[in-house]
Amino acid sequence: MLFLEYLFLWYLFYSFCGWVYESVLVSVQQRRFVNRGFLNGPLCPIYGTGAVLAVVVFGGERNPAVVFLVSSVGACILEYFTSWAMEELFHARWWDYSHFRFNLNGRICLLGAIVFGIGGVAIVDVIQPQVARVTAMIPLVLIHVMCAVFLVAITVDAVVTVVGIVDFEKSLEQFQTAVAKYGDAFGEMREKVGDAMGEATGRAAELAAGVAAGANERLGGVPGKVGETIGEKVGGTWHSGREMSTELMLRIREAAASAFNRQQRRMIVSFPRLKATRNDESLQQLREAFEKLRRSGR
């Protein structure tokens, strides 16, 4: 019983380490903070599961080559199965390695296998002995209390998360319906934005051609007047186009707020490569709107 409690605490520790690794990596890539965990709490369960399995399987094995090879293969099997199971359950793919070379159906890749292999060696030979030493120093009463509290917390978190995202596909359909309801408005607005951008570009080209043909002389020989004229005409049109584009993004966000619950919106933000098995185009449109509004400070 005590060994199982130790395994549970180790599982939480490595899940937290995985969350830190994933969150830092994705936050750097996205240039913003991303809570990468599948759960609400700071945990990535797949990392904890893999680490605990390595501790149990290897036991006293200390051959780095064996640990590296088994960790690489074992982690890939776990990751592939997890990706498949989550896609079957939630009708969405949470990560995709298709942009990496030597990937298998986008679920696993060679680079990931190498990283997991190195991680396995580090855990078995370096990290786990210290973790075991520290946990052995914790009083047994505290071990029991910690396990009970954390078990309740992670169970509640898992239930809330799963219940919140189990209807993700249905919510995506509702979002698509909401967007379709405003289809005419969206289409008209997109057309206006395109016209505004085209007009701005056309004016810039026209004025530039005028300069080349001697517009500078016609404006009284003052070079600054040419730049001022271009700035006033093009700038006003460009600003109008940007305002309409922002309004379009805001409408998309409003439609998303009515279709998706908090858990689903968190998943969309936390997993930049999240893909839906159906209606993925609508999902990518929503992600684009979120990103543009974030950059504009909305």
Side-chain angles (χ1 to χ4, degrees), residues 83-95:
S83 173
W84 172 83
M86 292 180 68
E87 183 172 347
E88 289 295 313
L89 180 60
F90 303 116
H91 306 289
R93 179 173 292 195
W94 303 92
W95 60 85

Side-chain angles (χ1 to χ4, degrees), residues 172 175-176 276 278-287:
L172 190 56
F175 170 72
Q176 189 176 39
R278 292 194 301 175
N279 301 320
D280 187 63
E281 183 179 350
S282 297
L283 176 60
Q284 303 312 318
Q285 180 186 40
L286 173 61
R287 190 190 307 283

Side-chain angles (χ1 to χ4, degrees), residues 200-210:
T201 303
R203 286 187 176 183
E206 181 182 347
L207 289 171

